[in-house]
Amino acid sequence: MSEFKILEIKQAVFEKNDRQADQLRIDLKNEGIFLLNLMSSPGSGKTTTLTRTINLLKNELKIGVMEADIDSDVDAITIAKTGAKVIQLHTGGMCHLDAGMTKQGLAGLGVNELDLVILENVGNLVCPAEFDTGSSKNAMILSVPEGDDKPLKYPLMFQICDVLLINKIDVLSVFDFDIELCKARVLKLNPNIKIIPISARTGEGIPEFCDWVKEEVKNWKGVSHE
Amino acid sequence: MSEFKILEIKQAVFEKNDRQADQLRIDLKNEGIFLLNLMSSPGSGKTTTLTRTINLLKNELKIGVMEADIDSDVDAITIAKTGAKVIQLHTGGMCHLDAGMTKQGLAGLGVNELDLVILENVGNLVCPAEFDTGSSKNAMILSVPEGDDKPLKYPLMFQICDVLLINKIDVLSVFDFDIELCKARVLKLNPNIKIIPISARTGEGIPEFCDWVKEEVKNWKGVSHE
């Protein structure tokens, strides 16, 4: 039913990654394509958040999605139902994507005429933070059940992201999660990060995230292209 | 208040890992020390589960705990309150522990006269599955909010574990988590794994996990040592 490719990608040479990432960013900028790298722990709600986001944005932006997973294609099947262009990337056991793998993914997806490509990275709070994918901006999700202490334990991820979505706020009442304490811990690591509480299940907060995405895409493409 | 050391550990040479792990396992067997490697995503409840487990077992077994984290010592502070011997291992950004790092941790902890050492690995469903730590047995936690599709997406972790704790069953009613479907997916990957539903918050299921641990420690030490 759903139409998407599955691509087996290989790890790029590690030491070249930063250079490749910078070059990829330049290329994407020249093509007017905004690449958002979305990261989180397993099960934080990346795919549900993306589904909501795409449904709100798809009339305004041409969107492609790269679903990275070690195995399976369950997320690509879900995203394909939104009508967005989607490709499943299999990382062959790798715990993250680097710039070379991202470039292979973009080539496999086909980005002509897309405004926005979202990379759903491998579910992992550690390794994806260490590898620049060449993305225009980095986004992350922390979900309420994971706990408000995660900024203390995985600081790099919070430091390298431009926006943090605190997801599953619809279940705040059944978990010991102090959202103000969590925000304070995050802002201490990264004073410039934008924090948006959301519920991917109910849709709360998704419009605010979509506004952020639209503004970033507009800035990336530049006023002269509008 | 709490007394524990913080040790900065270095990555062992990758290719020697399997050999080092086998040797460590032999050494621990000869010393009558059972090493349990506990893995999960960030925020699945490893530390709360350990606290409950130690409190139930500490009159029967001499227990040590190695808390591995990229940064912070919040988990070691929590565990120290149980009275167990504890050390915080800082991995210096590494996303997993290998056998050499585990050996450094054991030396730092001091294992003389301990029956059971529990390694709380870095919160990560990917990389820790790929590195044999030299443990006697591997345990993992999957929590209900993470979703019942995780065995499809992170199969290796489920394949290499001897016991799976499905945690946070006290909040099953507020999440779309099919526990029977999850079990079936896990058993398809690993027919020999023992699956125990628990709630680290309420204590449900912890006695069954403790029974499993006691039996494994007894088998490891061998009947002749009793």
Side-chain angles (χ1 to χ4, degrees), chain A residues 105-200:
Chain A
L106 290 164
L109 177 66
V111 294
N112 277 351
E113 308 199 359
L114 293 181
D115 302 303
L116 167 65
V117 177
I118 303 170
L119 168 60
E120 185 179 326
N121 215 311
V122 179
N124 185 335
L125 275 193
V126 187
C127 319
E130 295 168 353
F131 289 84
D132 188 343
T133 58
S135 64
S136 313
K137 295 282 176 177
N138 292 320
M140 71 169 290
I141 300 177
L142 174 70
S143 65
V144 164
E146 294 172 67
D148 54 34
D149 62 347
K150 292 300 158 295
L152 303 176
K153 298 165 82 173
Y154 305 91
L156 184 62
M157 179 60 82
F158 293 85
Q159 284 164 343
I160 60 117
C161 279
D162 302 287
V163 63
L164 162 66
L165 307 178
I166 301 182
N167 190 22
K168 307 191 188 179
I169 56 168
D170 54 299
V171 295
L172 262 173
S173 63
V174 298
F175 288 97
D176 301 323
F177 187 97
D178 185 332
I179 197 161
E180 293 309 319
L181 178 60
C182 183
K183 284 181 184 175
R185 286 170 169 166
V186 172
L187 290 169
K188 191 174 172 187
L189 291 166
N190 183 351
N192 297 318
I193 197 168
K194 183 171 177 69
I195 303 175
I196 308 175
I198 66 164
S199 166

Side-chain angles (χ1 to χ4, degrees), chain B residues 88-132:
Chain B
Q88 178 77 50
L89 310 181
H90 280 169
T91 63
M94 284 296 297
C95 48
H96 64 274
L97 290 191
D98 61 18
M101 297 156 87
T102 303
K103 192 174 174 182
Q104 290 177 59
L106 291 165
L109 177 66
V111 295
N112 277 351
E113 309 198 356
L114 293 182
D115 302 303
L116 167 65
V117 177
I118 303 171
L119 167 62
E120 186 179 325
N121 216 311
V122 180
N124 184 335
L125 276 192
V126 187
C127 320
E130 294 168 354
F131 288 84
D132 188 343

